[in-house]
Amino acid sequence: MAPTRLETSLYLFLLLCTVATVAIGIHMARPWGDNYAYRDASGYGVLALMLLWAVSPYAGLALGLRLLRGSRVASRVFAGGALIVAIPGLVAYVDAAFVHLDAQGGLVFVFAPLLQWAGLAALGMAGALLRLWKPDPRGGERAKVHP
């Protein structure tokens, strides 16, 4: 089954969020020049792990959208919720990097993904419940939950 235009748009948006997060993370870490933290490979390894943690919620959102593709209602609710989870994370990264410059601004790369994963967990549970829910084919208000 081919992805819908909504799903394709969301996949592209999540890819854009991933690229922007990596670019902002590299900008904030400043691994160029005479930075003491990047004199050996371990500094770059820590940076890579932090960036991997920062972009992991976007990969989780894309995977969740793929898993809920069979249910029209669940995939639409998940797509809307994915925007609600992804956009504040990206706004937090931009805010920490360019608006409110602070020595502790890099902590956003620890706590924003943690909150995004919590939102993703709630969204995944809602999507799973919606996928199980089947409306009454007669058009009534009764609904059946199929295991």
Side-chain angles (χ1 to χ4, degrees), residues 16-101:
L16 176 71
C17 286
T18 300
V19 170
T21 300
V22 169
I24 291 169
I26 291 172
H27 169 75
M28 287 183 72
R30 303 187 196 289
W32 49 81
D34 194 26
N35 192 338
Y36 181 76
Y38 301 103
R39 291 186 190 235
D40 59 0
S42 65
Y44 291 105
V46 171
L47 176 62
L49 287 175
M50 287 300 294
L51 291 177
L52 187 64
W53 167 246
V55 300
S56 65
Y58 303 126
L61 289 169
L63 179 65
L65 187 63
R66 172 73 175 99
L67 292 175
L68 293 174
R69 185 181 288 173
S71 173
R72 187 174 176 178
V73 172
S75 66
R76 286 185 178 182
V77 168
F78 192 87
L83 290 175
I84 294 171
V85 170
I87 291 174
L90 191 60
V91 169
Y93 296 138
V94 170
D95 181 63
F98 303 113
V99 179
H100 295 108
L101 302 176

